[in-house]
Amino acid sequence: RSKTGGLVWLLLTGPVGIFDCAINWYRTALWAAVTVVSCGWLGVFWMDYNGTSARDVARQLTNNNMVIAGHRSSSTVPTLQKQIVPAAFVGGCTVGVLSVAASLLGAFGGGTGVVLAVTMALQYIELVARETNPQLLAQMGKME
């Protein structure tokens, strides 16, 4: 006999359909909140891992002899920290909202599968554009 329930099941298992959303609205809301917030925090951690943290951007600005207008060069990292970390969190939460919405609307493969498929498709488009026509990449708004 298998047991269904518990804290992990409550937090990590999304609703099965619209009827399940209506009956267990509290579980759906809790699942959506956990998903969105965890995606936000994942965005912040990914920023540190990916090399786009405030310290890395400040280093790039220093290497290019650029400064932030109205700020000393010693205060570049704290100034960027106030902007980059919230932007990464909001960006991660946005991906989480898209994933939750796709799951609730019954997307084939679930919401996370849709987000992963779109991300992979964009990476392939960028790769093809970079290999075939670099000017096309510039016209697309430099996705890198």
Side-chain angles (χ1 to χ4, degrees):
R1 176 177 165 183
S2 68
K3 194 169 188 177
T4 304
L7 184 63
V8 174
W9 173 80
L10 184 68
L11 295 178
L12 299 179
T13 306
V16 179
I18 295 295
F19 187 69
D20 191 25
C21 290
I23 297 296
N24 297 322
W25 60 270
Y26 58 91
R27 187 170 82 86
T28 302
L30 185 63
W31 166 77
V34 167
T35 301
V36 169
V37 171
S38 63
C39 285
W41 282 116
L42 183 64
V44 172
F45 292 134
W46 180 255
M47 171 200 63
D48 288 335
Y49 176 76
N50 196 23
T52 56
S53 65
R55 183 170 285 116
D56 296 327
V57 172
R59 188 177 311 120
Q60 291 172 359
L61 290 174
T62 304
N63 291 343
N64 292 327
N65 295 324
M66 298 174 73
V67 293
I68 299 175
H71 296 277
R72 296 180 181 159
S73 60
S74 62
S75 68
T76 302
V77 173
T79 302
L80 290 173
Q81 191 85 13
K82 291 178 186 176
Q83 302 296 321
I84 293 176
V85 173
F89 184 77
V90 169
C93 287
T94 303
V95 170
V97 166
L98 289 173
S99 177
V100 166
S103 291
L104 290 178
L105 293 175
F108 183 70
T112 307
V114 170
V115 171
L116 287 173
V118 169
T119 303
M120 290 189 315
L122 287 174
Q123 287 177 348
Y124 281 120
I125 290 170
E126 181 182 348
L127 179 67
V128 168
R130 187 179 301 135
E131 288 181 358
T132 58
N133 190 356
Q135 288 81 21
L136 180 64
L137 187 63
Q139 291 174 354
M140 291 172 60
K142 286 198 175 187
M143 296 189 322
E144 54 187 3

